[in-house]
Amino acid sequence: MTEPTKLLSAEEVSKHNTAEDLWIVVDGQVWDMTDFAPEHPGGIGSKMENPLSSLFRSLSLSTPNSHQTDSNLPWAKKKVILQHAGHDASKPYNEIHSPSLLTATLPASKRLGALSPSSSSLPRSPTPSQTATKPAPTKNPTLQLAHRKPPLTTLISAHDFKTVASKTLAPKTWAFYSSAATDLVTHAANSSVFERMWWRPRVLRDVRVRDTRSRLMGLGVEMPVFVSPAAMARLVHPEGERAIARAVGGRGVVQCVSTNASYSITDIVSALPSPSSATPKQPPPIFFQLYVSKNRVASESLLRTVHDLGITTVFLTVDSPLAGKREADERVRMEENQPAPMMTGSKDKPVNDKQGGGLGRITGSFIDASLSWADLPWLRRHWKGKIVLKGIMCAADARRAAQEGVDGILLSNHGGRNLDTAPPAILILLDLQRNAPEVFEKMEVYVDGGIRRGTDILKALCLGATAVGVGRPVLYALGYGQEGVEHLFDILKDELSIAMALVGITDLSQAHPGLVNTNDVDHLIPTTEGHPYATGRRKGNPGPRSKL
């Protein structure tokens, strides 16, 4: 017979407010977190981090004036965490973490009971004042009414979703997702370069019936578009990546899930719609994006989980040994409702610091900056599925990837968020066509960055891309939940189908480079691996010259 749940009063919980005796309340349940405090073995500072340490990182973000604290000092870490000891920590926890995290990772003995509803209210974790506001709306005023979301049916393009998101997302959430590196040159070029490519349509074709279907890494899809990985989607909507999974599963699109997702990969896969009996059985429509952790054991464990879920393809991010400087993100201080993602193997506690409050920079410190081509055998030992290298930016690296035998590459500059003035992905695609055309026969080539229209999708496919990724538009559409993401993909599919008809094709196998005039950008495509004429090297290099 199950024992009745023990009820604990708020007065009793509030007494356990030290590092040696630390209780918190999450969703009415009282948990003993003493063994996972920062200074305890197995906590944040240990060599083998427990998954619950990310909870402490998330709680640390809700501390007022945390940017004034030296996070390298042990007493400072303890001081931050103690702000939540004996308090109700539900809000900072639920903004980012899966409801199942505590029960899945803590022993049952750590659940002490439930907060008694008849007791006095328990103090909630302190909330800092809002430190930044969004700029006044300047575009598409017809979509906006008193900073509330207009009806979903009034949105008819990906640009509309961005307009609404800019006025309705929390300031820090908008800054995190919309920001890009330094002067935003690459971010702007990602989209604008598509406008410099012109169609060469074919007419008098029977285009009454058109087929947008394709295959990505063996998965049948309704159109060659996938959701690019992005961190912490729960900042936009409580269901986060789970809502995206339900949406794309119903639309025949593949979702690439980030290592830094709000929910565990298990929770996300479980949210997929159940396939009908008439649907041919295939792996889940999920790719997994891997940031390799400094703690390789943690990454290996994560890969085993991904494999056990039936996922067949991993996208290894190779363009982010460090996060770029994203000034819009840095300028908005982190608040209580912007906790860190569930990072694997990280020891660093994200707080505001003298550089600002950039979520990407502060929460990405767990990534192993030593990752190199020499690590591909390590990955193959621990992952027997397909491998796509995410973040290839030149023909030379594309050729090297083909030589290494990977299954695909994603041409990407990380949405312009890392190295400003890195080339737009569509120009990298032309770099491959000019300097490494053989790679198209050896592996699948994906493109992301700046895809906002059906015409953008079709131009990339004509120029050799297997499929394209869409990132920010999905996050903006997520503001409307599952229905918003579904609506976005309905729009993109409709635009793609219209573009096919007007260009003169009925099937994507008919797409070819001759349909696109790239003369306006051809002079931007390198003709050699090295510089075409500059050979001088600066004096003062400390070591021997090496060819990268």
Side-chain angles (χ1 to χ4, degrees):
M1 184 175 179
T2 304
E3 294 184 4
T5 301
K6 183 178 181 181
L7 296 179
L8 298 164
S9 68
E11 292 77 12
E12 174 65 22
V13 173
S14 63
K15 295 176 184 177
H16 301 267
N17 59 5
T18 69
E20 293 76 25
D21 184 16
L22 199 162
W23 291 8
I24 65 170
V25 173
V26 175
D27 296 334
Q29 301 300 308
V30 183
W31 295 90
D32 182 355
M33 305 296 289
T34 308
D35 289 347
F36 303 95
E39 303 307 310
H40 190 283
I44 292 176
S46 70
K47 185 174 182 180
M48 292 296 294
E49 180 178 294
N50 184 281
L52 262 295
S53 61
S54 68
L55 171 60
F56 283 94
R57 280 193 296 272
S58 70
L59 297 180
S60 73
L61 298 186
S62 63
T63 304
N65 301 319
S66 60
H67 60 282
Q68 299 174 359
T69 303
D70 184 350
S71 62
N72 293 321
L73 297 176
W75 64 265
K77 292 182 182 179
K78 184 181 295 186
K79 181 179 178 181
V80 169
I81 298 304
L82 285 176
Q83 293 285 343
H84 304 278
H87 283 65
D88 186 339
S90 299
K91 185 175 181 180
Y93 174 89
N94 284 321
E95 287 292 342
I96 194 68
H97 289 304
S98 164
S100 64
L101 173 64
L102 286 169
T103 54
T105 54
L106 276 181
S109 61
K110 298 300 179 183
R111 181 177 172 277
L112 304 178
L115 186 65
S116 173
S118 62
S119 65
S120 58
S121 298
L122 187 68
R124 294 184 180 275
S125 296
T127 304
S129 59
Q130 189 171 358
T131 56
T133 58
K134 293 173 284 187
T138 58
K139 294 182 180 179
N140 293 355
T142 57
L143 288 175
Q144 190 58 41
L145 177 64
H147 288 256
R148 289 179 294 181
K149 295 173 189 170
L152 179 60
T153 53
T154 65
L155 278 62
I156 61 173
S157 74
H159 298 295
D160 287 349
F161 282 105
K162 179 180 179 181
T163 299
V164 174
S166 70
K167 300 164 188 174
T168 58
L169 291 180
K172 184 59 179 177
T173 301
W174 171 252
F176 176 55
Y177 287 128
S178 66
S179 62
T182 52
D183 296 313
L184 315 184
V185 176
T186 291
H187 175 55
N190 278 344
S191 295
S192 65
V193 73
F194 280 100
E195 300 170 1
R196 299 175 61 183
M197 297 179 177
W198 301 88
W199 288 113
R200 304 175 69 195
R202 306 298 193 265
V203 298
L204 293 178
R205 309 291 177 93
D206 183 353
V207 292
R208 288 174 296 175
V209 179
R210 299 168 304 280
D211 188 353
T212 63
R213 291 177 297 176
S214 187
R215 299 192 72 82
L216 313 185
M217 290 292 152
L219 296 175
V221 294
E222 289 300 310
M223 63 175 170
V225 178
F226 63 91
V227 178
S228 294
M232 299 183 289
R234 206 173 182 195
L235 293 176
V236 179
H237 187 276
E239 280 293 285
E241 296 84 3
R242 287 170 54 86
I244 296 174
R246 285 192 289 269
V248 300
R251 289 300 186 270
V253 178
V254 176
Q255 176 184 11
C256 190
V257 174
S258 171
T259 296
N260 284 343
S262 303
Y263 286 92
S264 72
I265 185 63
T266 303
D267 285 337
I268 296 167
V269 171
S270 69
L272 288 167
S274 300
S276 67
S277 57
T279 303
K281 187 175 181 180
Q282 66 173 4
I286 297 285
F287 297 150
F288 184 75
Q289 175 267 334
L290 177 68
Y291 282 121
V292 175
S293 172
K294 296 170 186 174
N295 177 0
R296 292 292 177 92
V297 173
S299 291
E300 292 163 7
S301 175
L302 185 56
L303 287 171
R304 286 193 295 271
T305 298
V306 172
H307 174 269
D308 291 345
L309 291 169
I311 296 169
T312 58
T313 302
V314 159
F315 278 50
L316 175 67
T317 294
V318 296
D319 63 351
S320 301
L322 300 173
K325 184 185 180 188
R326 306 164 192 171
E327 294 179 359
D329 187 22
E330 297 286 1
R331 292 184 194 281
V332 184
R333 313 299 291 188
M334 286 187 288
E335 302 171 5
E336 180 177 4
N337 62 341
Q338 278 83 43
M342 177 62 65
M343 298 178 295
T344 7
S346 172
K347 299 178 183 179
D348 299 318
K349 171 179 59 62
V351 295
N352 297 300
D353 58 26
K354 65 181 181 181
Q355 292 178 259
L359 275 173
R361 171 180 58 84
I362 295 172
T363 65
S365 57
F366 74 99
I367 298 171
D368 187 354
S370 73
L371 187 70
S372 71
W373 293 103
D375 289 304
L376 286 180
W378 164 82
L379 178 59
R380 284 198 172 94
R381 285 197 302 273
H382 298 282
W383 177 254
K384 302 306 180 184
K386 296 177 181 179
I387 297 172
V388 176
L389 300 187
K390 177 184 180 295
I392 296 296
M393 287 179 279
C394 66
D397 280 346
R399 189 181 299 111
R400 174 69 182 270
Q403 293 169 352
E404 295 287 345
V406 300
D407 301 280
I409 54 176
L410 173 54
L411 310 182
S412 172
N413 52 45
H414 220 89
R417 291 163 71 81
N418 281 353
L419 178 65
D420 202 14
T421 66
I426 195 69
L427 295 187
I428 306 170
L429 189 63
L430 291 176
D431 185 7
L432 268 60
Q433 288 284 14
R434 174 174 282 177
N435 298 301
E438 70 277 6
V439 303
F440 292 95
E441 300 296 325
K442 297 179 179 179
M443 56 189 178
E444 297 186 7
V445 177
Y446 302 126
V447 168
D448 82 357
I451 306 292
R452 301 295 181 267
R453 290 287 190 183
T455 49
D456 300 335
I457 298 170
L458 189 54
K459 285 175 183 177
L461 301 180
C462 286
L463 294 173
T466 303
V468 303
V470 179
R472 288 183 179 95
V474 174
L475 294 167
Y476 300 152
L478 183 59
Y480 287 87
Q482 174 183 343
E483 294 78 10
V485 180
E486 290 172 342
H487 188 51
L488 171 68
F489 280 108
D490 289 343
I491 290 170
L492 292 177
K493 184 176 181 180
D494 186 52
E495 290 185 355
L496 173 59
S497 180
I498 292 171
M500 291 170 62
L502 296 178
V503 167
I505 65 174
T506 59
D507 186 279
L508 292 176
S509 65
Q510 300 166 5
H512 62 89
L515 293 172
V516 185
N517 175 358
T518 62
N519 284 348
D520 196 29
V521 297
D522 283 344
H523 66 285
L524 299 174
I525 310 306
T527 56
T528 63
E529 183 174 328
H531 195 278
Y533 60 84
T535 57
R537 300 286 290 266
R538 64 179 293 273
K539 290 185 177 180
N541 289 337
R545 296 177 182 177
S546 61
K547 184 177 180 181
L548 296 178

